[in-house]
Amino acid sequence: MKVVCLAGGVGGAKLAFGLMRVLPPEDLTVVVNTGDDFTHLGLRICPDLDTVTYTLAGLDNRDTGWGLTGDTFTVLDTVAKLEGPAWFRLGDRDIATHLTRTELLRQGKRVTEVTARLTRAMGVAATVLPMTDDPFATNVITDEGDLEFQDYFVRRRCEPRVERIVFAGAESARPSPEVIAALDAADAVIFAPSNPFVSIEPILTLPDVRERIMAKPALAVSPIVGGQAIKGPAAKMLYELGLDVSPAGVAARYRGLITGFVMDEVDRDLVPTVEALGLQVRTAQSIMRTDAARESLARACLDSVSTLSSMGT
Ligand code: FO1
């Protein structure tokens, strides 16, 4: 079964790893959010693409969820001594990724081509695709002003109150031809347990993506478990944007696109509420602390999605 997994950072990367363990590599394409990307210290940084790539390559730092395992911070500590910006923790080996990417982009390569080269070099057999090659940036409108995503997320630790999310470049950005081809070839689409607002929504705002997903059996995995986000600010954002902080709130966001939903066993009382949205629901252990847990959630998703029909468009 050919699967496209839509993913942001950590949660998306873990599910993609599980899917990689249970599918032949040629059957898995991970389409990754690029709204978090930014230029910092002269380097082009694509945090979600790197998190997915490092995780699929088995190089991920399991304590932080981002960056490389065992990395050191000599360069960044020196930047700090020089009174440069050191709030974004770039590891020494991680910097090699950003240097290589920045140079290839400078030579005129597309982010898709650069990602293909980096994933191949790191031994990743599945396909990792940036959602677009065009400029696209997530900005967070808060009670303390308008912030670029990493400024809000890392430097301000998600503390300002979110009023709105804005996608700069969304009017002109197009999904890459590779993303369109992967969606056309897919037998199923799986929305990883990533932040619905800042990880999955950027992918869905691109033209032609929603229609293509609606034509396929599709399910989403809830990033909210027991009223909390597994990681990151999804719960705080859902709350601040006035939505229900529960799997049902997430399922409602994706209404019209998916026919299936996977949520944690601890939320089983909410199954009837989500079913009332017209979705086929499955509960599973969705906290992926081990490789076995990643694989088991991936199997639950594949089992579930194989029984679904599409929205029919
Ligand atoms: N996230 C943090 O919370 N603090 C950091 O210092 C940080 C550094 C970092 C460096 C490279 C990279 O690829 C990712 C990094 N992240 C960091 C994660 C990043 O902010 C992601 O955008 C979020 O995890 C959202 O997906």
Side-chain angles (χ1 to χ4, degrees), residues 9 36 47-48 50 66 87-90 94 149-150 153-154:
D36 298 12
D48 288 355
D50 290 342
W66 46 265
W87 54 269
F88 196 77
R89 305 286 301 156
L90 294 172
D94 189 28
F149 183 77
Q150 297 300 342
F153 193 90
V154 176

Side-chain angles (χ1 to χ4, degrees), residues 43 45 54 66-68 70-77 88-99:
L43 301 174
I45 299 171
Y54 294 160
W66 46 265
L68 287 157
D71 212 348
T72 50
F73 291 86
T74 309
V75 171
L76 201 78
D77 292 345
F88 196 77
R89 305 286 301 156
L90 294 172
D92 296 327
R93 288 197 291 130
D94 189 28
I95 287 172
T97 301
H98 313 311
L99 283 170

Side-chain angles (χ1 to χ4, degrees), residues 12-268:
K14 287 181 177 175
L15 182 63
F17 179 93
L19 289 166
M20 182 189 75
R21 295 274 284 244
V22 298
L23 286 169
E26 64 276 15
D27 283 359
L28 176 62
T29 300
V30 191
V31 173
V32 182
N33 167 44
T34 58
D36 298 12
D37 299 5
F38 72 137
T39 301
H40 184 65
L41 288 164
L43 301 174
R44 190 66 188 157
I45 299 171
C46 304
D48 288 355
L49 280 169
D50 290 342
T51 299
V52 169
T53 303
Y54 294 160
T55 302
L56 295 185
L59 301 170
D60 53 314
N61 179 331
R62 297 217 172 189
D63 298 326
T64 55
W66 46 265
L68 287 157
T69 185
D71 212 348
T72 50
F73 291 86
T74 309
V75 171
L76 201 78
D77 292 345
T78 312
V79 168
K81 281 198 186 108
L82 297 171
E83 299 177 10
W87 54 269
F88 196 77
R89 305 286 301 156
L90 294 172
D92 296 327
R93 288 197 291 130
D94 189 28
I95 287 172
T97 301
H98 313 311
L99 283 170
T100 307
R101 172 188 296 119
T102 305
E103 173 56 16
L104 291 170
L105 290 171
R106 195 194 59 76
Q107 290 171 10
K109 302 260 187 307
R110 296 182 297 134
V111 197
T112 301
E113 295 167 312
V114 175
T115 305
R117 178 131 156 205
L118 293 173
T119 49
R120 196 171 52 245
M122 286 186 241
V124 174
T127 303
V128 179
L129 295 177
M131 65 183 202
T132 181
D133 288 314
D134 298 329
F136 188 107
T138 300
N139 292 319
V140 187
I141 314 302
T142 76
D143 58 348
E144 297 180 37
D146 301 358
L147 300 172
E148 289 180 6
F149 183 77
Q150 297 300 342
D151 226 14
Y152 162 78
F153 193 90
V154 176
R155 195 173 66 79
R156 300 299 319 277
R157 297 194 184 88
C158 308
E159 282 162 9
R161 190 184 161 84
V162 182
E163 289 169 358
R164 253 173 341 114
I165 308 286
V166 174
F167 301 123
E171 330 68 49
S172 44
R174 297 277 170 276
S176 68
E178 289 84 352
V179 166
I180 291 296
L183 285 170
D184 283 342
D187 299 306
V189 180
I190 295 176
F191 295 34
S194 296
N195 184 311
F197 292 102
V198 294
S199 297
I200 303 295
E201 187 75 22
I203 305 173
L204 301 177
T205 60
L206 297 171
D208 304 329
V209 167
R210 297 180 79 92
E211 297 82 327
R212 282 183 160 77
I213 293 172
M214 286 161 79
K216 304 286 173 175
L219 68 71
V221 183
S222 177
I224 302 287
V225 173
Q228 301 283 324
I230 299 175
K231 191 167 193 315
K236 185 170 176 281
M237 277 187 181
L238 279 165
Y239 175 75
E240 290 174 355
L241 293 167
L243 292 174
D244 176 14
V245 185
S246 81
V250 177
R253 283 268 331 153
Y254 296 143
R255 201 178 347 197
L257 282 176
I258 55 172
T259 49
F261 197 71
V262 174
M263 57 199 227
D264 199 87
E265 277 157 13
V266 301
D267 290 311
R268 74 180 76 78

